[in-house]
Amino acid sequence: MPLNVGDTAPDFTVKDTNGNTVKLSDYAGRAVVLYFYPKDDTPGCTKEACSFRDNYTQYTSKGIPVFGVSMDDEASHQRFTEKYSLPFPLLADTNGAITQAYDVDGGGYSKRVTYVVGADGKIVQVHTTIQTDTHATDILQQLAL
């Protein structure tokens, strides 16, 4: 069962697509989108990533960082990012620690769940039913920013 609206988002430290260290706590005071997905370069995951890619400027114009999270490694994330020109970092949760902390473990992969973390570090949205090709715009509409 995923975390709930109002829960404090678990902090984490992990490497991104390019080997940079990402800490959720570094984004305190800002809303953050964390979208968990099962596997790089699969049909649904590609549609979802491209949805965020195509709407990324709307997120950045609002100061909202977007992070894709899966249990794939940095090399897989790099190939996926290059193939689809993804402008946002993918987080390499290779040991599943973030996936487990956010309660989206699908047994060796991350379930497709998206969290919007508010500026106060509390979860403000949880998406468990996702239309992959419109997901990024669906979130933007619900944020009404």
Side-chain angles (χ1 to χ4, degrees):
M1 194 73 182
L3 301 177
N4 297 303
V5 169
D7 289 348
T8 298
D11 196 14
F12 57 79
T13 302
V14 69
K15 298 289 184 182
D16 72 6
T17 311
N18 299 310
N20 300 314
T21 299
V22 175
K23 293 181 187 179
L24 182 61
S25 57
D26 288 346
Y27 295 88
R30 299 169 65 184
V32 174
V33 172
L34 295 173
Y35 83 91
F36 290 83
Y37 65 98
K39 187 128 182 80
D40 290 341
D41 208 8
T42 56
C45 298
T46 298
K47 285 180 186 177
E48 186 175 22
C50 290
S51 174
F52 280 107
R53 177 199 64 200
D54 296 346
N55 291 279
Y56 189 64
T57 57
Q58 292 182 59
Y59 283 93
T60 57
S61 71
K62 297 170 187 346
I64 301 172
V66 173
F67 297 103
V69 185
S70 81
M71 294 174 69
D72 294 308
D73 63 19
E74 291 170 44
S76 177
H77 283 343
Q78 287 169 353
R79 289 189 300 274
F80 189 42
T81 295
E82 289 170 12
K83 184 173 182 179
Y84 294 101
S85 301
L86 304 179
F88 50 86
L90 301 176
L91 305 183
D93 185 27
T94 55
N95 66 3
I98 304 169
T99 296
Q100 290 175 0
Y102 281 79
D103 207 12
V104 294
D105 189 346
Y109 66 91
S110 299
K111 293 179 187 174
R112 191 178 313 281
V113 175
T114 299
Y115 293 99
V116 178
V117 179
D120 63 356
K122 303 269 187 204
I123 295 170
V124 296
Q125 289 183 21
V126 179
H127 299 266
T128 57
T129 303
I130 293 168
Q131 184 70 30
T132 56
D133 54 344
T134 62
H135 188 47
T137 54
D138 296 341
I139 291 171
L140 285 167
Q141 289 174 351
Q142 288 185 18
L143 286 173
L145 297 172

